[in-house]
Amino acid sequence: MKIIVPMAGMGKRMRPHTLTVPKPLIPIAGKPIVQRLVEDIAKVCGEQVDEVAFIIGRFGAEVEKSLVKIAESVGAKGTIHYQDEPLGTAHAILCAQSALSGPVVVAFADTLFKADFILDSSAEGTIWVQRVDDPKPFGVVKLNEEGQITDFVEKPETFVSDLAIIGIYYFKNGDYLKNELQYLLDNDIKDKGEFQLTNALENMKNKGTTFVPGRVTEWLDCGNKDATVYTNQRYLEYLQERGENLVAESAKVTNSVLIPPVYIGEGAIITDSVVGPHVSLGSQSNVRGSVLSNSIVQQSASVFHANVTNSMIGNHATVAGTPDDLSLGDYNTLRV
């Protein structure tokens, strides 16, 4: 089994946090989004993952090393592939064509999920979906009476289905997928100016491929600051339910209260403060005289005499005496 992870963009909607790192490397409950995604997919695959292929922009050697380590953490080889132009989802996946063989899972790296099933590897293709209240912003699928996918509809203006495609797909035959993606490029078949995976899926379906839905318990988006803070909240709750220890032994907590669920990283210092619930505090961070809730604070950040909630604070950033609801990038300082 191979996992293909397109993550080419830096993520404009997550600025200023993505000015220095790509969005999938922003931490959720102490681990990068993409690491959480890869680990969760590996759990539901039901078999060994041999390779994780990351499709990225030119993010630099340190980012690439981090991604390879993420693959190695699930016992797989990590490979790096580049998409230098944003030409669509089909083009992005094809950038990792050397990994497109045998059974593959394609997972776009701006989403997380909760699921309680093991992938049926005997299926020709599985498209993971989640029922949503308003399907208009999403691509959706229609099903027949046998529960098979009959149609793919992108951002329907009128109601056709409430089963939204969450961006995770299984293909039993990666070579077949590769050929269908290449067909789109060779024949310049675009939708809204880009080569789209849904066009390849439609062609495969028309040739007789049977796609079935894979339904997740919960779908968590990491598209902007507020969505990412909420995803961090829900993920901390999952980890607490699983009984994971989320407070590092090396953290120093003095005259302070931790309200779970919270993640406290290695070497963090918390003094005269209330931290939690739903806080992820990165390693080597320092919180003093503050109340901190429902927030993500990254590595080596400082929060002094502040009341902060619903916020993201970047690596090496400093917040002092500010009101709540912040989005502060790496190495910035905000004092009031």
Side-chain angles (χ1 to χ4, degrees):
M1 180 77 70
K2 298 177 182 177
I3 302 175
I4 313 296
V5 186
M7 49 179 286
M10 289 293 282
K12 293 181 180 179
R13 290 188 298 160
M14 284 289 285
R15 291 179 178 174
H17 304 282
T18 54
L19 292 173
T20 53
V21 297
K23 179 173 64 176
L25 290 184
I26 290 174
I28 294 292
K31 290 183 181 180
I33 293 168
V34 67
Q35 183 170 355
R36 293 286 182 196
L37 176 64
V38 168
E39 289 177 349
D40 286 346
I41 290 174
K43 287 176 184 176
V44 303
C45 278
E47 59 184 83
Q48 177 62 40
V49 176
D50 302 311
E51 179 180 355
V52 183
F54 299 97
I55 300 136
I56 64 173
R58 303 289 172 166
F59 296 155
E62 288 304 311
V63 168
E64 294 178 16
K65 288 179 183 177
S66 298
L67 294 173
V68 170
K69 287 182 179 178
I70 288 171
E72 292 172 348
S73 74
V74 297
K77 176 180 71 173
T79 58
I80 304 298
H81 310 265
Y82 302 105
Q83 185 188 28
D84 291 321
E85 296 181 83
L87 296 179
T89 54
H91 176 266
I93 297 165
L94 195 57
C95 289
Q97 58 181 290
S98 62
L100 289 173
S101 62
V104 298
V105 172
V106 175
F108 290 88
D110 58 357
T111 189
L112 292 174
F113 65 94
K114 183 180 181 183
D116 55 5
F117 63 86
I118 297 297
L119 178 67
D120 179 8
S121 58
S122 68
E124 292 183 285
T126 302
I127 299 173
W128 294 7
V129 298
Q130 170 73 354
R131 183 164 274 113
V132 295
D133 293 331
D134 180 13
K136 289 182 180 179
F138 306 103
V140 300
V141 301
K142 294 176 65 177
L143 306 180
N144 62 18
E145 293 181 355
E146 288 75 38
Q148 299 168 344
I149 294 171
T150 60
D151 292 286
F152 308 97
V153 183
E154 186 66 28
K155 298 181 180 178
E157 288 298 322
T158 58
F159 182 86
V160 294
S161 170
D162 59 0
L163 294 176
I165 300 171
I166 73 168
I168 305 175
Y169 311 79
Y170 166 74
F171 301 91
K172 188 174 184 178
N173 188 338
D175 288 298
Y176 181 26
L177 171 64
K178 177 170 60 177
N179 292 338
E180 291 299 325
L181 297 175
Q182 190 63 57
Y183 177 83
L184 299 181
L185 271 66
D186 290 345
N187 293 276
D188 198 32
I189 299 173
K190 295 180 179 179
D191 187 359
K192 298 179 181 177
E194 294 184 338
F195 300 103
Q196 301 292 358
L197 174 59
T198 48
N199 291 122
L201 298 177
E202 186 69 32
N203 290 342
M204 294 168 77
K205 177 180 68 68
N206 291 339
K207 292 178 179 179
T209 301
T210 299
F211 288 103
V212 295
R215 304 198 188 193
V216 298
T217 306
E218 187 167 4
W219 174 24
L220 297 169
D221 180 36
C222 300
N224 57 42
K225 186 268 287 184
D226 286 341
T228 303
V229 168
Y230 177 73
T231 292
N232 180 71
Q233 172 186 326
R234 294 293 295 135
Y235 221 93
L236 285 170
E237 291 171 355
Y238 300 160
L239 296 176
Q240 184 182 42
E241 290 171 6
R242 296 201 315 229
E244 293 196 20
N245 179 27
L246 301 177
V247 179
E249 291 185 5
S250 61
K252 297 180 180 179
V253 181
T254 305
N255 194 34
S256 298
V257 176
L258 303 182
I259 304 175
V262 292
Y263 168 85
I264 308 297
E266 297 287 347
I269 300 173
I270 303 171
T271 309
D272 301 327
S273 298
V274 178
V275 176
H278 304 122
V279 170
S280 289
L281 187 63
S283 62
Q284 311 304 321
S285 291
N286 192 347
V287 178
R288 185 170 68 242
S290 298
V291 177
L292 185 60
S293 65
N294 197 39
S295 296
I296 300 171
V297 179
Q298 298 189 52
Q299 296 182 15
S300 301
S302 299
V303 180
F304 300 143
H305 307 292
N307 187 341
V308 176
T309 189
N310 194 43
S311 297
M312 288 183 64
I313 297 171
N315 298 290
H316 303 276
T318 298
V319 174
T322 60
D324 58 8
D325 203 340
L326 303 171
S327 187
L328 189 67
D330 292 358
Y331 295 97
N332 282 283
T333 297
L334 183 59
R335 301 178 187 274
V336 175

